[in-house]
Amino acid sequence: IYFEYLQRIQGPALQAPETKKVVERAIEWFGKTPQVMVAVANLETRRGDREAALEALLKLETMATTGEYDRSLPVNPALFGKPFWKHLDRLADQLGRYDVCRRCEPHL
């Protein structure tokens, strides 16, 4: 499945231009699938692009708060649990996005 492919990208392939295209395609095709967006956020973190990682986590925040996401695959409710909110809070803090940090507080 697509999210498993994203999780396996390592080493020099992380910085390859093709990888960015794979990420863009993943968001375009599967942007409402929580598992894919988690994989995108993790991949962007490994690539060193914290802004792109935050963008993916913000999409997950919307899914978590609205409940609007693709349910064609089973989603473990823990995906939107405390570790997710901690990750979002930490990354938002690093990037000076304190508005996001404030939204995370009730979940921590």
Side-chain angles (χ1 to χ4, degrees):
I1 296 185
Y2 213 86
F3 61 88
E4 292 171 349
Y5 174 76
L6 293 172
Q7 292 173 331
R8 287 193 299 259
I9 298 173
Q10 298 291 329
L14 285 172
Q15 301 307 323
E18 296 81 18
T19 299
K20 190 64 177 171
K21 289 180 183 180
V22 167
V23 169
E24 290 168 358
R25 182 79 35 96
I27 294 169
E28 178 184 342
W29 290 353
F30 304 108
K32 294 256 184 206
T33 305
Q35 298 92 325
V36 171
M37 294 313 297
V38 167
V40 166
N42 291 338
L43 175 61
E44 292 295 14
T45 299
R46 290 193 315 273
R47 286 170 44 85
D49 191 341
R50 293 184 307 172
E51 291 284 346
L54 180 63
E55 192 65 33
L57 291 176
L58 290 173
K59 288 177 191 267
L60 281 165
E61 178 192 23
T62 298
M63 292 178 206
T65 57
T66 66
E68 294 178 19
Y69 54 86
D70 179 7
R71 296 175 188 268
S72 62
L73 294 173
V75 176
N76 184 337
L79 183 77
F80 297 124
K82 194 171 184 174
F84 161 72
W85 293 101
K86 279 183 171 182
H87 187 191
L88 177 59
D89 182 60
R90 184 175 59 249
L91 187 56
D93 184 56
Q94 290 171 357
L95 294 172
R97 291 289 309 273
Y98 305 117
D99 59 313
V100 175
C101 295
R102 283 189 292 279
R103 293 196 308 261
C104 293
E105 286 176 8
H107 305 282
L108 300 175

